Amino acid sequence: MNEACHTMLDGEILNATKTNYPLHEAVLYGDKVLTAKFSKRLSCAIKHLPLRVRFRYEYDTMKALEAGVSKDPTLVLDGKIFLEGLVSAEEITKAFEELV
């Protein structure tokens, strides 16, 4: 897929060709506009890191509440709330750098 910053597609894997990198599962909860903005920032912020991330979007408010999500948008990574709100690309990079 495109290496440039872009809005991630549902089911897309960032760094998909780097099969030696660990694969994380991410769900972006929220409305379509905010999750699209978040995913574009995220694709820019972490594409250089040694990890792969498969993205899904969830726009259903009830499913978000069931997952413990209270802010729009929220990134749930590997089943745990990871980032809440429309954070900056710098904050996204820092959070993922701490993960790897």
Side-chain angles (χ1 to χ4, degrees), residues 8-9 11-16 18-28 42 46 49-56 75-80 82 95-100:
M8 302 295 293
L9 300 174
E12 181 178 346
I13 299 175
L14 186 67
N15 293 331
K18 312 285 186 174
T19 56
N20 57 320
Y21 292 176
L23 178 64
H24 298 276
E25 299 291 335
V27 181
L28 271 171
L42 200 137
I46 68 169
L49 294 176
L51 51 82
R52 294 177 298 150
V53 180
R54 182 188 344 256
F55 288 90
R56 284 192 319 102
L75 177 69
V76 172
L77 189 69
D78 299 327
K80 297 178 183 165
F82 190 68
F96 274 90
E97 284 175 344
E98 290 173 5
L99 179 69
V100 296

Side-chain angles (χ1 to χ4, degrees), residues 2-17:
N2 187 356
E3 290 296 320
C5 301
H6 65 286
T7 301
M8 302 295 293
L9 300 174
D10 193 56
E12 181 178 346
I13 299 175
L14 186 67
N15 293 331
T17 61

Side-chain angles (χ1 to χ4, degrees), residues 53-71:
V53 180
R54 182 188 344 256
F55 288 90
R56 284 192 319 102
Y57 292 92
E58 183 54 70
Y59 307 118
D60 185 309
T61 303
M62 292 309 295
K63 288 183 180 176
L65 292 172
E66 289 170 9
V69 171
S70 61
K71 288 189 179 181

